[in-house]
């Protein structure tokens, strides 16, 4: 069983599905309600992403094997409205004040990313690869550079990559003012060596800052690791050990907390 984590504000939703199923099936969604109570079922969905209020999630709900709908679900009030028809291959990622970020035809060579108005389905912005969305900004991937889009006036600016490698993993801070961008490479220079290389992007600059101790060799890039932002503005990294760093500090602070053994995926900091 593979369990992934979706954080919506101070809430955490778990998506559980068989790791090696012959026929893909929708995931079971469970809201984490604390260590002393069982998780609460939210039904099944093909994908889930947090809403902009941090109080609910957007889901691709299956109605029949071939028919799905885009559904907004409040974690306190349940489904909000009937939803609207959507492809079962749509992957919901995250909502911002400017729209809902989705991947169309997810998992296929024809996949493309789009920011849409979830109420009407209107496309606000579309690109082959949108790495992240938060606040007023989108970060687009390119062959040799990145593009930062200001959604307030739809202007764009090219950014040089501070590190080479495949498409980075992007995790914006909770306020969306700082983005942690990991130029991790699971096959450094064509070898089996895994490397992690975290930079901070401030879109309002735009400026890049290198996190301390980067890059480094790791064994946890493919599974058993991840990073997220805390409510206090710390970047928390799970990579063999648990570490936290507040931008501006000279080094990471190591935790005594033990990480789970074996293969696992998904990481979120709560509340």
């Amino acid at each position: 069983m593979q369990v992934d984590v979706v954080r919506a504000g101070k809430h955490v939703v778990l998506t559980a599905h068989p790791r090696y199923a012959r026929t893909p099936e929708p995931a079971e969604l469970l809201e984490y309600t604390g260590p002393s109570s069982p998780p609460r079922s939210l039904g099944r969905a093909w994908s889930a992403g947090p809403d902009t209020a941090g109080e609910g999630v957007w889901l691709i709900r299956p109605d029949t094997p071939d028919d799905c709908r885009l559904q907004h679900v409040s974690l306190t009030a349940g489904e909000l409205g009937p939803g609207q028809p959507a492809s079962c291959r749509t992957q919901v990622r995250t909502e911002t004040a400017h729209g809902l970020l989705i991947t169309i035809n997810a998992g296929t060579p024809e996949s493309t990313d789009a920011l849409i108005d979830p109420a009407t389905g209107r496309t606000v912005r579309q690109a082959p690869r949108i790495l992240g969305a938060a606040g007023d900004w989108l970060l687009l991937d390119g062959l040799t550079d990145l593009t930062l889009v200001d959604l307030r006036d739809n202007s764009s600016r090219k950014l040089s990559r501070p590190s080479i490698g495949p498409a980075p993993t992007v995790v914006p801070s909770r306020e969306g003012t700082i983005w942690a961008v990991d130029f991790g490479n699971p096959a450094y220079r064509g070898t089996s060596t895994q490397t992690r290389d975290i930079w901070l992007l401030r879109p309002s600059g735009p400026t890049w800052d290198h996190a301390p101790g980067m890059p480094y060799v790791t064994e946890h890039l493919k599974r058993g690791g991840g990073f997220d932002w805390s409510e206090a503005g710390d970047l928390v990294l799970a990579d063999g050990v648990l570490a936290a760093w507040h931008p501006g500090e000279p080094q990471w602070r190591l935790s005594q907390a033990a990480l789970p053994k074996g293969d696992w995926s998904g990481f979120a900091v709560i509340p």
Side-chain angles (χ1 to χ4, degrees):
M1 182 67 67
Q2 178 171 328
V3 178
D4 296 317
V5 181
V6 176
R7 180 174 56 79
K10 298 181 180 181
H11 306 273
V12 170
V13 173
L14 309 175
T15 66
H17 51 88
R19 185 184 292 272
Y20 302 113
R22 290 186 178 181
T23 303
E25 295 181 358
E28 180 71 26
L29 267 65
L30 303 164
E31 181 190 1
Y32 176 74
T33 55
S36 59
S37 59
R40 183 172 67 93
S41 176
L42 299 176
R44 299 176 71 83
W46 283 108
S47 67
D51 67 11
T52 189
E55 296 294 335
V57 288
W58 287 93
L59 308 177
I60 298 296
R61 285 275 205 213
D63 291 322
T64 71
D66 299 316
D67 295 312
C68 292
R69 58 191 157 96
L70 175 63
Q71 179 67 62
H72 192 193
V73 176
S74 165
L75 296 175
T76 57
E79 292 190 351
L80 303 176
Q84 60 174 295
S87 167
C88 298
R89 289 188 173 181
T90 299
Q91 178 187 358
V92 181
R93 294 170 56 185
T94 190
E95 185 185 22
T96 76
H98 294 273
L100 180 66
L101 179 60
I102 64 172
T103 296
I104 303 166
N105 292 323
T108 71
E110 298 80 22
S111 66
T112 187
D113 297 331
L115 192 72
I116 66 167
D117 179 346
T120 64
R122 179 182 64 86
T123 298
V124 177
R125 184 87 184 205
Q126 187 167 337
R129 292 293 175 266
I130 300 177
L131 297 173
D136 297 318
W137 307 94
L138 292 179
L139 186 64
L140 313 184
D141 192 22
L143 293 176
T144 59
D145 51 25
L146 305 173
T147 300
L148 188 65
V149 178
D150 187 341
L151 293 168
R152 291 169 295 186
D153 57 9
N154 214 32
S155 61
S156 60
R157 179 170 179 174
K158 296 289 185 182
L159 301 180
S160 297
R161 287 173 174 259
S163 179
I164 61 173
T169 300
V170 177
V171 180
S173 64
R174 300 198 184 191
E175 299 78 19
T177 55
I178 306 176
W179 298 26
V181 184
D182 182 14
F183 292 88
N185 194 333
Y188 180 70
R189 292 187 175 177
T191 69
S192 60
T193 300
Q194 302 176 43
T195 59
R196 191 182 292 279
D197 192 9
I198 296 178
W199 291 73
L200 295 188
L201 170 63
R202 289 177 170 82
S204 60
T207 58
W208 290 104
D209 291 309
H210 214 182
M214 302 290 165
Y216 67 92
V217 175
T218 177
E219 297 179 354
H220 306 280
L221 192 65
K222 297 179 182 179
R223 57 172 61 93
F227 56 102
D228 192 20
W229 292 90
S230 74
E231 191 175 26
D234 288 345
L235 182 62
V236 182
L237 173 65
D239 195 313
V241 297
L242 198 62
W245 171 64
H246 197 88
E249 292 180 342
Q251 61 187 14
W252 294 82
R253 292 172 273 121
L254 299 181
S255 170
Q256 298 295 324
L259 294 174
K261 301 293 184 181
D263 294 343
W264 54 276
S265 63
F267 177 77
V269 178
I270 52 176

